[in-house]
Amino acid sequence: LLAEAGRRALADGAAGSAVRLLDHAHRVLASQVDVEVRADVLDSLLPALSAAGQFGRAFALVDAVAELTVAGLSRVRRAELHTKLAQVAGTAGEWTDGMAHVETARALLGRDATDEQNARLDAVAAYLTLFVQGPDRITSAEFLARRAAEAARRVPLPEVGCETWQLLGVLARDRDLDAARDCFAQARALAEEHGLPIQRVYALVRQAGVDWLADGSSAELVEAHEEALRVGAITLAYNVDAILGLDAVLRGQYAAASAKLARTVESTRRLRLKQVTLYALMAQATAAAHQGRRSDLDAAIEEFDEVGGVGSQERPLCFGLARAFCALLEEDRALATRDVARAIAYEAETPTVFHLSGMHGLRLLLGALSGELDLDGHRSVTRSAAAGMRWNRVFGQFALAVLLGRAGRDAEAAQAVRVARDAAAIYPLARHLGLRLVAEAAVADRWGEPVAWLRVAEEFFHQAGQAAVASACRGLLRQLGASVPQRRTGSDQVPRDLRALGVTVREFEVFRLLAGRLGNKAIATRLHISPRTVEKHVASLITKTGRADREALSAWSESLGPADRP
């Protein structure tokens, strides 16, 4: 009763009361009361400590199981306790230890295990299998989860049903996002029907995660995070923190991401939440890569490996979502291609439920640019639900544009670029890298608006301090005979919209004086240049801005507010 009360206190947000109650339960466990009573205390105490993130105290109770065995605890009760220990180990990311407890429990139960015992054990084993390195882990995890779900339905065991429906939803994400949502909805319905607050919040987080993958929406994740804190699901709240940290990285909100991820890594390492720590370290590596900080990227991945990242599901992301982008910012496309290939190779060795490592996105664009991918290959990959996830969809559509342009289907190619830019509206780095890469293909195959795309990309990368990409954009503009930003002192005074059109510092000085309807001679006098030079700048401004004549250009300059003029 004390342990259960402690868990309920956690669910109600009364952390202080929970700790006191759990301490009382510990004292009962250490007493000489009936062995079955002590087993009941341990059975409730393990998940309560796990939910509170007190894994050190939970793992220390392994000795208590041994003591109860000596005291005569039955074989079946010992198996149930090992199942609980396996569950705690899974939450903490100690998957090998968890599987050892699973095998001990199976040996104790033998062939006479009931549906209830098998359902609980299979549910835990399915989760652990998902994280144990091996090429068949996804298939094996799904088999165990379905077997557990069926047994839980027959008994019935709503808590186990919630766990297994959530796992099946995670496994369904790369095949069918709607099917994944249905699984999470079933888990949530079971939790609400049977009054399981922790399981309900887990289902909420999973549902919010699918929406984040599908359309980039993070609002539901923020709400689920608050709910996790309210019910005392601390470990789950940290999981959401890590996802929100990666979301901030992809959105280019690097300062916010840095603060959130640093806190998450520090806290989860202290609490021994290995799985969440790995995800957060991967997100830190991605943040460094997306800013072109190669040394910080290497340091983050080194820490990732030290924590136990080799063979993890997050490892492919370290290459396809992190390293490959750093290589692209260094204008080393060959290295980026090799990094994506390594990500895909890691996924083949140890299949993952994380689908942003490039197999369904960046690989398509790089393959289209190199000529290794054709339209049939593109269609084959994009049939997957994972290819429809918003981040992947950006690169898939840019790739489609390259392939359609190469096939002479110019209008369709231009439409694919528009779709890609819409999908990338919340992902500035993805949007501008895509434009820089697609513009090169458009130049070669004579379609689209490569000059406009290169100007937009050049402006972005110049402002971001990514000199290699900005320089490459300027080089392509020169090849096309287009005007190139001089990037001399004062260029930041030119409004961004005008810089994107290729307007130079001197042209902007002429442009703003047009607001006063001055003639060429008057402007020349003020700027200490010749009237003929002013005339050339005005003609260039009319061309770049698409205005009909000098009068229209002057009217536009006059219409700009003070904030748009230095």
Side-chain angles (χ1 to χ4, degrees):
L1 287 173
L2 285 168
E4 183 59 28
R7 184 157 58 167
R8 290 185 180 278
L10 280 171
D12 292 337
S17 298
V19 170
R20 288 192 295 273
L21 288 163
L22 294 175
D23 285 342
H24 284 310
H26 262 290
R27 285 194 286 274
V28 173
L29 187 62
S31 70
Q32 297 302 310
V33 299
D34 183 79
V35 66
E36 290 292 337
V37 172
R38 283 186 281 161
D40 288 342
V41 171
L42 185 56
D43 191 77
S44 292
L45 192 55
L46 285 168
L49 290 170
S50 178
Q54 299 186 28
F55 294 104
R57 295 177 69 180
F59 292 138
L61 294 175
V62 173
D63 292 339
V65 178
E67 293 169 5
L68 292 175
T69 300
V70 173
L73 188 65
S74 70
R75 172 175 53 84
V76 170
R77 288 293 281 130
R78 282 153 48 203
E80 291 170 351
L81 291 176
H82 278 289
T83 302
K84 285 288 176 69
L85 283 166
Q87 194 168 23
V88 173
T91 304
E94 300 296 337
W95 304 300
T96 302
D97 289 348
M99 289 303 293
H101 284 297
V102 166
E103 294 307 316
T104 299
R106 288 201 193 281
L108 287 168
L109 291 172
R111 296 183 178 180
D112 299 328
T114 65
D115 266 352
E116 179 177 353
Q117 293 160 349
N118 278 329
R120 294 186 186 281
L121 194 53
D122 281 344
V124 177
Y127 178 79
L128 291 167
T129 298
L130 191 60
F131 295 96
V132 175
Q133 187 172 356
D136 63 343
R137 63 179 174 187
I138 300 294
T139 304
S140 298
E142 185 163 5
F143 170 79
L144 289 166
R146 291 196 180 280
R147 192 168 74 178
E150 284 299 312
R153 181 185 56 79
R154 290 192 297 267
V155 174
L157 288 174
E159 186 170 356
V160 174
C162 286
E163 294 170 1
T164 52
W165 277 115
Q166 288 179 55
L167 182 54
L168 288 169
V170 169
L171 295 170
R173 288 189 307 206
D174 73 323
R175 300 191 302 267
D176 188 332
L177 292 177
D178 287 335
R181 289 188 180 96
D182 288 343
C183 290
F184 299 139
Q186 291 204 49
R188 181 177 176 181
L190 271 174
E192 290 174 347
E193 179 183 353
H194 296 278
L196 303 170
I198 299 290
Q199 290 295 340
R200 176 181 173 276
V201 177
Y202 267 93
L204 283 174
V205 169
R206 302 295 190 197
Q207 285 181 310
V210 168
D211 291 338
W212 175 68
L213 288 169
D215 58 28
S217 169
S218 58
E220 292 83 359
L221 278 171
V222 173
E223 293 175 5
H225 179 268
E226 295 304 313
E227 187 70 6
L229 291 176
R230 190 187 70 78
V231 302
I234 307 300
T235 58
L236 183 58
Y238 282 126
N239 200 314
V240 179
D241 278 331
I243 298 171
L244 290 172
L246 180 60
D247 175 67
V249 172
L250 300 184
R251 290 172 179 267
Q253 300 166 354
Y254 301 120
S258 176
K260 181 177 287 292
L261 291 171
R263 290 194 301 269
T264 303
V265 169
E266 180 185 1
S267 299
T268 57
R269 292 201 72 166
R270 184 179 68 251
L271 293 172
R272 298 172 63 180
L273 292 172
K274 179 180 176 181
Q275 181 191 346
V276 186
T277 302
L278 287 174
Y279 193 97
L281 286 170
M282 174 277 298
Q284 284 187 326
T286 302
H290 286 209
Q291 296 173 80
R293 295 176 1 220
R294 173 68 68 175
S295 60
D296 291 342
L297 164 64
D298 291 340
I301 292 183
E302 183 179 353
E303 185 177 359
F304 175 89
D305 289 343
E306 289 173 355
V307 171
V310 176
S312 70
Q313 293 196 69
E314 292 83 4
R315 188 163 179 78
L317 294 167
C318 289
F319 287 85
L321 192 60
R323 287 195 183 278
F325 280 85
C326 192
L328 288 174
L329 291 176
E330 295 164 345
E331 280 293 310
D332 191 340
R333 202 175 307 171
L335 177 57
T337 300
R338 290 197 297 274
D339 283 333
V340 172
R342 290 181 71 181
I344 293 170
Y346 283 129
E347 285 200 30
E349 292 173 8
T350 54
T352 177
V353 295
F354 303 128
H355 306 293
L356 304 183
S357 61
M359 177 180 289
H360 304 94
L362 184 58
R363 181 187 69 156
L364 296 175
L365 179 53
L366 294 176
L369 291 166
S370 68
E372 296 176 6
L373 182 77
D374 59 17
L375 282 166
D376 286 339
H378 184 276
R379 279 190 288 269
S380 176
V381 174
T382 53
R383 289 192 189 103
S384 166
M389 295 173 181
R390 185 163 184 172
W391 176 262
N392 290 334
R393 195 161 69 245
V394 172
F395 300 101
Q397 285 295 316
F398 276 130
L400 180 60
V402 171
L403 296 172
L404 291 170
R406 190 170 295 152
R409 296 157 63 176
D410 296 4
E412 293 172 81
Q415 174 60 19
V417 171
R418 286 191 287 273
V419 173
R421 294 178 77 171
D422 286 345
I426 60 175
Y427 304 130
L429 179 66
R431 180 167 73 252
H432 293 94
L433 264 180
L435 289 175
R436 177 264 176 274
L437 295 169
V438 168
E440 186 173 320
V443 170
D445 297 319
R446 300 178 181 279
W447 63 274
E449 303 175 82
V451 171
W453 300 336
L454 287 167
R455 282 182 172 152
V456 169
E458 191 277 339
E459 171 64 21
F460 173 82
F461 289 113
H462 170 72
Q463 293 297 321
Q466 301 300 334
V469 191
S471 178
C473 291
R474 290 193 291 271
L476 284 168
L477 285 168
R478 290 189 188 97
Q479 290 177 26
L480 292 169
S483 59
V484 177
Q486 297 178 31
R487 296 305 176 196
R488 64 183 184 182
T489 303
S491 62
D492 290 342
Q493 296 181 37
V494 182
R496 178 168 295 184
D497 290 345
L498 292 177
R499 285 201 303 268
L501 296 174
V503 174
T504 67
V505 174
R506 181 62 85 184
E507 286 171 347
F508 180 65
E509 291 171 346
V510 171
F511 173 75
R512 64 176 183 170
L513 290 175
L514 289 172
R517 310 292 171 151
L518 300 176
N520 289 350
K521 187 175 180 179
I523 294 175
T525 299
R526 293 198 183 190
L527 298 179
H528 305 286
I529 57 178
S530 73
R532 175 62 177 156
T533 300
V534 174
E535 182 179 349
K536 289 181 179 179
H537 285 323
V538 171
S540 178
L541 283 164
I542 290 171
T543 300
K544 290 178 179 180
T545 63
R547 273 5 190 217
D549 50 30
R550 183 186 183 113
E551 175 61 29
L553 188 65
S554 300
W556 186 27
S557 177
E558 188 178 9
S559 70
L560 295 179
D564 298 307
R565 294 198 297 268

